Amino acid sequence: RVYGRYFSELHGPEELLKRYRDLSILTRGNEQLREALIIARLEVLETYFTGRDAEIDVFYDEIRCRFERGNLSTFMVMKVARHVAEYDPGEGVLWLSELIERPGVEGKDEAIVALAQIRSISGDPGQMNLAKSGFQSFLREYGSPKLEETALLGLARLSGKLEDWECARNSWENYLSHPEWMMAREEALQAMARMPELSKEPEIMSAGHQPDAVQQQVIAPILSNNGVSNNGVSEIGGMLASRIERAEKLIHSGIKKEALEGLLSQCRTV
């Protein structure tokens, strides 16, 4: 790579590709070096020649056919797995599974999250449940800061697809409790607003229940503006009440802005 950067500065990326090709021909007896050169050529193509997709695919196919997965570096297995998963998720699962099974492999946390992501979009309930377990395993055992947001977001989305509403709700609330996470805050608020009710929640608006301070201060003015009296809160039903309860939980957790935004968005539909 150091040589490549120096050569490219002198002669440009096109000449560097030719130079790597010549070196590949000269080093056919050294599989480790050939792998490094293939990776180098692939990285040059992906960095400087993004329009040459067919040529890039040829390199990936060469790696898949020429080398045994078990002999490739962790970096290379991960790279091929992500590429292959775009058009063949099943093969992507095979590549990442091989990587996860390696004893003491570096980057295992990233592989677990990547494998869960691939399985989560498969559409197969069995694979999707494995993906859910994968996200949960990562969050329980690793929790790498750089991947935690991605894993929790994946778990929240997937739980919704699987209609595991309790897990989805807990995941979205956990996500919103991290104000520094900005990848999908709006999506999280919308998901919380659309969340189906759990069986225990209709009891919240049972006869005789009086709205608490959050309901009185935030909900009543909006209802009034829409021609609904304060007493009409009880007529809205369990759905709005559960939104209020979740907002209260967020407020108690210190996430006041998101809680009130979610309430305002929901109440405008009344």
Side-chain angles (χ1 to χ4, degrees):
R1 288 180 178 177
V2 173
Y3 173 80
R5 284 196 296 269
Y6 175 74
F7 191 96
S8 182
E9 289 173 1
L10 291 178
H11 306 289
E14 187 69 57
E15 289 299 317
L16 177 60
L17 274 179
K18 294 178 182 177
R19 179 61 176 156
Y20 279 153
R21 181 198 59 200
D22 294 341
L23 288 173
S24 294
I25 295 172
L26 293 171
T27 57
R28 283 181 177 168
N30 188 328
E31 288 299 294
Q32 202 170 19
L33 182 54
R34 275 179 61 75
E35 177 193 336
L37 287 166
I38 288 172
I39 294 172
R41 293 167 73 186
L42 183 57
E43 288 180 340
V44 172
L45 281 171
E46 290 178 328
T47 302
Y48 299 104
F49 304 99
T50 52
R52 291 161 65 166
D53 293 340
E55 192 173 349
I56 289 172
D57 286 339
V58 167
F59 274 96
Y60 279 109
D61 288 340
E62 182 179 0
I63 294 166
R64 292 163 60 208
C65 298
R66 184 182 295 274
F67 299 102
E68 292 289 335
R69 283 196 292 267
N71 295 331
L72 291 172
S73 65
T74 298
F75 172 83
M76 197 61 190
V77 172
M78 183 72 72
K79 190 174 181 66
V80 175
R82 290 189 180 279
H83 178 82
V84 171
E86 293 178 6
Y87 55 87
D88 189 347
E91 185 177 346
V93 167
L94 291 176
W95 280 82
L96 286 170
S97 297
E98 191 280 332
L99 187 59
I100 290 172
E101 291 168 4
R102 292 182 181 181
V105 64
E106 199 172 321
K108 189 172 182 177
D109 53 350
E110 184 179 355
I112 290 173
V113 173
L115 180 57
Q117 287 177 315
I118 292 172
R119 284 174 164 160
S120 69
I121 61 173
S122 67
D124 176 77
Q127 289 293 312
M128 292 168 74
N129 277 297
L130 286 173
K132 182 182 172 185
S133 297
F135 285 131
Q136 290 173 324
S137 173
F138 166 82
L139 291 167
R140 183 174 58 250
E141 299 175 19
Y142 292 91
S144 308
K146 66 177 182 179
L147 295 171
E148 190 173 1
E149 179 180 4
T150 299
L152 190 56
L153 183 55
L155 179 61
R157 289 169 172 167
L158 182 57
S159 297
K161 291 179 182 178
L162 293 171
E163 299 186 356
D164 183 347
W165 304 120
E166 183 174 4
C167 184
R169 175 175 300 171
N170 291 337
S171 299
W172 284 123
E173 287 181 348
N174 191 355
Y175 185 90
L176 287 170
S177 71
H178 292 78
E180 73 278 10
W181 289 355
M182 303 302 296
M183 194 181 297
R185 298 198 74 78
E186 184 62 31
E187 179 186 350
L189 290 169
Q190 292 176 4
M192 290 292 290
R194 295 192 305 267
M195 194 72 65
E197 308 313 306
L198 298 180
S199 58
K200 65 179 182 179
E201 292 185 348
E203 300 173 2
I204 297 169
M205 294 303 290
S206 60
H209 176 80
Q210 295 299 317
D212 65 13
V214 174
Q215 295 176 16
Q216 292 283 16
Q217 294 175 27
V218 180
I219 304 301
I222 298 172
L223 295 178
S224 178
N225 291 338
N226 285 277
V228 181
S229 67
N230 286 346
N231 293 334
V233 174
S234 60
E235 299 173 3
I236 298 169
M239 181 173 292
L240 179 55
S242 66
R243 303 295 186 271
I244 296 169
E245 183 188 40
R246 286 197 294 277
E248 289 171 345
K249 290 180 181 177
L250 292 174
I251 289 170
H252 292 324
S253 299
I255 353 176
K256 297 181 181 180
K257 184 175 182 292
E258 287 83 352
L260 295 178
E261 285 177 353
L263 281 173
L264 289 170
S265 174
Q266 179 68 22
C267 290
R268 289 192 183 103
T269 66
V270 174

